Amino acid sequence: PPHRAQRPHCLTTHSTLYLQLQKSPRPQAVIGQRTFTPTSVTQLASSDLDVSRLLFDLKRCGELVNRFTGWLEADEIATCVTDGLVETFGCAFARIWLVEPDRTALRLVASSGLYTRLDGSFARVPMGAFKVGKIAQHCIPFLSNCLADEVWVKDREWALDNRIQGFAGLPLMAGEQAIGVLAVFSHDPMVPEFLEVLQMLSLSVTGALAAALNHQTALTPPITATLSEQLADRQGRQKLSLLGTE
């Protein structure tokens, strides 16, 4: 029988897929009792993964990344990604939140699939609140293949009514902190091949979003003084001008 690694301690149900970030750049995906840490096609070929499917999905992932490569609008990049996950990979629902500059909350910037509106109860999520806020705060991905059975799900009936089984939430990491969260929902259980592709996609998305956010910051003029300070400074210059004419 194949070697089965001991499952690490985590606050999840027996049906949950859990990604635990390690010190190495490649995370381990824990699926039940089996640990999966792919590092090369050679290693993949020796496992029970569908290598052909993985390579095909990686090709489609590359095509999706090429769509937004070079873009400098963060919201447009995010929408391209969520649209691609729904249209190309058949996800039921995909969303991206970006962390606000003061890092107190996340703002929903893209939503595709079942819901496309950017307002509602999850339009702005406080840092550390709900699963999305916790993923951003603790920088740990979370996955489940039985969403309706998870105790943290706010609306279990919603998952049942919409036949949602799979959930993947990944922090978009830039350096040591998250700049956003990518959340994906699926009607079918998420297979290891798709999880590997999703992890790779999140790295490309993070790089594109970070570059776009830096570009937008560079274009925004710095606020050097408040309105009251500007008025006070103007009044002071006017007084000096009057004194100079006496």
Side-chain angles (χ1 to χ4, degrees):
H3 172 71
R4 295 182 180 274
Q6 183 179 0
R7 181 174 180 170
H9 174 70
C10 56
L11 299 177
T12 58
T13 66
H14 69 281
S15 61
T16 297
L17 309 180
Y18 187 84
L19 271 179
Q20 177 64 55
L21 289 179
Q22 307 294 331
K23 292 182 180 180
S24 62
R26 303 300 294 274
Q28 289 184 325
V30 179
I31 306 172
Q33 298 290 328
R34 177 173 175 272
T35 302
F36 168 54
T37 314
T39 55
S40 69
V41 173
T42 302
Q43 288 182 331
L44 290 174
S46 63
S47 70
D48 58 353
L49 294 172
D50 187 338
V51 179
S52 296
R53 176 174 180 172
L54 177 59
L55 294 177
F56 178 67
D57 283 347
L58 287 173
K59 179 177 181 295
R60 296 195 297 175
C61 176
E63 292 170 351
L64 175 56
V65 171
N66 285 337
R67 295 184 200 173
F68 59 79
T69 298
W71 292 10
L72 293 174
E73 293 291 336
D75 292 9
E76 292 181 3
I77 294 171
T79 300
C80 180
V81 173
T82 56
D83 284 347
L85 284 168
V86 172
E87 297 167 1
T88 303
F89 292 95
C91 297
F93 185 28
R95 281 185 159 179
I96 289 179
W97 288 261
L98 291 179
V99 177
E100 294 183 344
D102 60 5
R103 302 198 62 79
T104 61
L106 295 93
R107 177 175 60 91
L108 180 63
V109 297
S111 183
S112 305
L114 289 176
Y115 301 98
T116 58
R117 297 179 61 175
L118 300 179
D119 55 4
S121 57
F122 289 96
R124 188 175 183 274
V125 178
M127 183 69 75
F130 305 110
K131 184 56 65 177
V132 169
K134 287 181 172 61
I135 290 172
Q137 184 179 56
H138 300 296
C139 303
I140 296 179
F142 188 92
L143 297 102
S144 173
N145 262 347
C146 197
L147 188 63
D149 291 344
E150 301 291 352
V151 296
W152 51 267
V153 174
K154 183 179 180 181
D155 189 351
R156 181 173 181 271
E157 294 302 319
W158 172 84
L160 293 173
D161 292 343
N162 290 280
R163 299 181 296 106
I164 301 297
Q165 291 192 53
F167 167 79
L170 286 80
L172 303 176
M173 298 296 298
E176 298 297 322
Q177 62 185 13
I179 62 171
V181 171
L182 168 63
V184 180
F185 300 79
S186 64
H187 292 305
D188 300 314
M190 294 185 181
V191 297
E193 294 87 353
F194 176 70
L195 297 179
E196 171 70 3
V197 170
L198 192 62
Q199 175 67 20
M200 295 185 67
L201 175 62
S202 71
L203 297 176
S204 297
V205 173
T206 301
L209 288 174
L213 293 172
N214 288 337
H215 176 73
Q216 292 172 7
T217 300
L219 294 180
T220 303
I223 301 176
T224 57
T226 64
L227 179 60
S228 59
E229 291 172 338
Q230 292 176 7
L231 290 174
D233 180 65
R234 181 176 299 176
Q235 290 174 351
R237 290 199 302 269
Q238 289 177 345
K239 289 180 180 180
L240 289 174
S241 297
L242 290 173
L243 287 173
T245 58
E246 292 179 353

